Amino acid sequence: EGEQPAVEAPSAPVGQRQPGDGGDHADADGLRARQAEALAGDYIAKSPDGQTEVTLRLVASGRFWHAAHRTSQERCRVVSGALGSSPSGAAARRRQREQRVNVLKAYKAFDYEDDSDAGREVLEEYAGEYEQVSVWELTESLGTWRILDAAEVRPCSPSQGSADESADAVVALMCEHWSAKCSHPTAPPVLRPGPEGSAELDELVDGGRLVLCYALRRANASSLKLELQVQLHP
């Protein structure tokens, strides 16, 4: 869900013509263009912890850009390069071993009970030097959007009813391209899909089947908000 700075709301609910339109296609196209202008803009949402910001930009021409950016602090183990077999390298490795945290003792402070050789080996495997690292993820998508007529909006099943009539408009976004980037590929992903998820997204995008419906309604007197309509499909 995101909100947009103050814009002029559509002059009539989607799917209805104003008196005097006369059913003329030119008038209908003009009304749709005015509605698109009114709805165009940036819709921005932020997570409560402030780590993630999502922006959806609707362009009046019918294009959209969506981006989700996340930053966080993660604890990462420091991996040193090869120190070589020289006396100085051996001394450096010895110093590293001396400086490593005894992970087994740390876990014992939290009632870790596996004191077997296997348990010790597992914990010692993660011993080392750790530091806080700033990581970021960015996912982006591009595509087209359009305003749906009331007759076009169908529930996914008959029991779910029709579109919310309180919405100023219902729009459909069709994704044509997506990408995911990150600063540390080995860090645990939050926004980035795994290999199977990526393949599934590619299949949906290539087939023109990645389409999401959003209802736009007044958040307050000065802004609009978008709400994902998971029960609808165009």
Side-chain angles (χ1 to χ4, degrees), residues 109-125:
F110 292 93
D111 297 326
Y112 182 80
E113 297 180 354
D114 187 358
D115 200 18
S116 64
D117 290 341
R120 187 183 301 274
E121 289 177 3
V122 169
L123 290 174
E124 290 296 345
E125 179 183 353

Side-chain angles (χ1 to χ4, degrees), residues 9-19 21 31-32 35 147-150 164-170:
S11 54
V14 175
Q16 299 181 15
R17 288 196 173 92
Q18 297 183 42
D21 283 346
L31 174 60
R32 187 61 60 87
Q35 290 176 328
I147 302 172
L148 298 178
D149 291 320
D164 189 343
E165 295 181 356
S166 67
D168 290 292
V170 177

Side-chain angles (χ1 to χ4, degrees), residues 70-127:
R70 176 181 178 269
T71 58
S72 65
Q73 294 288 320
E74 304 289 347
R75 286 190 62 79
C76 300
R77 184 164 62 173
V78 177
V79 179
S80 301
L83 297 174
S85 58
S86 65
S88 60
R93 288 194 298 274
R94 186 166 55 253
R95 286 195 300 272
Q96 283 187 345
R97 287 195 298 270
E98 292 172 354
Q99 293 171 356
R100 285 180 176 175
V101 176
N102 188 321
V103 180
L104 181 60
K105 290 182 179 179
Y107 271 88
K108 279 188 173 181
F110 292 93
D111 297 326
Y112 182 80
E113 297 180 354
D114 187 358
D115 200 18
S116 64
D117 290 341
R120 187 183 301 274
E121 289 177 3
V122 169
L123 290 174
E124 290 296 345
E125 179 183 353
Y126 293 97

Side-chain angles (χ1 to χ4, degrees), residues 121-187:
E121 289 177 3
V122 169
L123 290 174
E124 290 296 345
E125 179 183 353
Y126 293 97
E129 297 178 61
Y130 290 78
E131 64 180 25
Q132 291 287 110
V133 177
S134 295
V135 301
W136 57 263
E137 294 178 82
L138 174 66
T139 60
E140 295 180 282
S141 60
L142 297 169
T144 60
W145 72 280
R146 64 189 182 91
I147 302 172
L148 298 178
D149 291 320
E152 293 183 276
V153 181
R154 308 186 306 277
C156 294
S157 68
S159 62
Q160 291 176 317
S162 58
D164 189 343
E165 295 181 356
S166 67
D168 290 292
V170 177
V171 298
L173 280 66
M174 185 174 73
C175 180
E176 297 177 341
H177 173 77
W178 74 278
S179 65
K181 306 178 183 69
C182 65
S183 59
H184 295 73
T186 58

